[in-house]
Amino acid sequence: MIPRYSRPAMSAIWSDEAKLQRWLDVELAALEGWVETGAVPREAVETIRARATAPSPARVAEIERRTHHDVAAFVDAVAEGLGQEGRWFHYGLTSSDVLDTALSLQIRDAGALLLEGVDRAFAAVLARAEEHRDTVTIGRTHGVHAEPTTFGLKLAGWAFALDRDRGRIVAALEGMRVGKLSGAVGTYSAADPEVERVACERLGLEPAPSSTQILQRDRHAEVLNALALLAASLERFALELRHLARTEVREVEEPFAAGQKGSSAMPHKRNPIVAERICGLARVVRGFAVTGLENVALWHERDISHSSAERVVLPDAFLAVDYMLDRFAWLVEGLVVRAERMRENLDASHRLYFSQRLLLALVESGLGRDEAYRLVQRHAMRAWDEGLDFPDLVRADTEIAGRLDVDAVFDLDAYTRNVGVVFERLEALRREHVHA
């Protein structure tokens, strides 16, 4: 991922330096396993542990220009400082034992950082939802006014979505909490299952119950799909804010700092650029999920077609989503909410949102549903076409006004009387997060 969309902590996890350190961690853990089985002298491993350091990316690249193999170059670079005991380094392992187990560690670290971002975003949405629990706004379906809701209720739905996204990421990370040191085609022919068990235990992983030369890539695809779903949620939220920020709507506005410029040509512009950026990056992350799915089907016990793709999509997916979460939380925390504009827009459709309440009241009064529907629709269409107030038209119709309590029908509070039910559920979810 380009630096513009990368944050330091996540970048550090996916740096070449961190990768080589994780390779070394796996190699040293494997040696501990060999000590446990008695195949490698403990003194030799202690010497290796004392002397071994992760080589610089530059040194590995220099050797790789000769070997054309990155893990072989890494092994040679580490062995340069080990002396005679270096013969035990990488003993009984194949490259993918190191690569895949180390990748699981990187994904674990990156996932923990990502979950912190989800939690921050969840907290931001939760706080603003509570703040605007009773801020009435118009709900829209097909982009057209439907019935009133509250801005807080809209945000509450986002909080529940983020919780679902969190659950999917946790499950996907659990699927990646495995390592493999089973050798060339997964038969332990050059290794020992006990070496794998000990090494994984030292690294905080579980041995994969079955592996070929690699960990099967459905695990990695699950991670990428969980990230893509989270990105899709963030895109959905950002798209809503973009709509609400349009001049014709203007119910919300992104934070706008002193000295900020919205356009190089038009000084009046205050554009939803962060929300647009989130939407754009979501498209990229979705593409990564497709790559993850395509990496599942490999030739026989393995080929290398997944490797080049993963070097791009796994780091970049985590980097992009980490950045998106940070920007989304910032956006929600500083979002300008224009409650007065929401009320203006609510009234802009001549209070036609009362149509369903009137329909139901007429049905309850004894009218057939189709007859009641046509009666209500007649006044609704006239209100639209002539710009008249819908309740006023209904009150003037003695056929309707004589059948029911009109004032009770046109009660705005009726739309928000059950909002508390959702917020009780949201509070229960908040408590779960606190005690998790």
Side-chain angles (χ1 to χ4, degrees), residues 38 46 64 113 176 180 401 417:
E46 290 175 352
E64 188 180 355
L113 194 59
M176 281 300 311
K180 63 87 57 184
R417 64 171 179 247

Side-chain angles (χ1 to χ4, degrees), residues 245-393:
R246 291 186 302 123
T247 303
E248 294 82 0
V249 181
R250 204 163 178 252
E251 292 180 1
V252 303
E253 197 171 87
E254 285 192 6
F256 197 84
Q260 183 174 341
K261 294 183 179 181
S263 166
S264 63
M266 296 172 284
H268 73 279
K269 296 283 281 178
R270 298 176 68 162
N271 303 323
I273 57 171
V274 172
E276 290 172 334
R277 197 179 305 157
I278 290 170
C279 290
L281 287 172
R283 300 167 189 171
V284 176
V285 178
R286 269 196 295 279
F288 295 158
V290 172
T291 302
L293 292 171
E294 291 179 345
N295 280 346
V296 172
L298 302 175
W299 287 16
H300 308 298
E301 276 57 57
R302 64 88 65 117
D303 62 54
I304 203 172
S305 61
H306 67 287
S307 176
S308 55
E310 282 180 358
R311 291 172 192 260
V312 176
V313 300
L314 281 170
D316 280 8
F318 277 100
L319 283 161
V321 176
D322 175 65
Y323 177 85
M324 292 168 68
L325 282 166
D326 175 72
R327 291 295 82 199
F328 174 72
W330 172 87
L331 178 55
V332 172
E333 289 163 354
L335 188 69
V336 178
V337 179
R338 301 190 180 279
E340 72 288 349
R341 180 62 177 170
M342 291 179 179
R343 188 54 188 255
E344 290 175 10
N345 287 336
L346 183 73
D347 295 334
S349 57
H350 318 298
R351 296 195 285 176
L352 281 166
Y353 49 77
F354 283 118
S355 69
Q356 181 179 203
R357 284 185 57 78
L358 179 58
L359 171 65
L360 295 179
L362 287 172
V363 170
E364 291 168 3
S365 76
L367 278 183
R369 182 179 178 87
D370 187 60
E371 181 183 0
Y373 192 100
R374 283 187 283 105
L375 193 59
V376 173
Q377 189 180 48
R378 184 179 71 208
H379 290 298
M381 294 303 101
R382 187 182 173 200
W384 267 128
D385 294 339
E386 299 179 30
L388 301 174
D389 185 68
F390 178 65
D392 287 348
L393 291 175

Side-chain angles (χ1 to χ4, degrees), residues 115-133:
L115 290 175
E116 291 178 10
V118 174
D119 291 343
R120 179 191 166 197
F122 177 85
V125 170
L126 185 66
R128 299 310 298 269
E130 290 287 356
E131 178 185 352
H132 292 286
R133 171 179 174 145

Side-chain angles (χ1 to χ4, degrees), residues 385-404:
D385 294 339
E386 299 179 30
L388 301 174
D389 185 68
F390 178 65
D392 287 348
L393 291 175
V394 171
R395 284 189 173 94
D397 187 333
T398 55
E399 185 179 358
I400 296 178
R403 299 186 65 94
L404 43 80

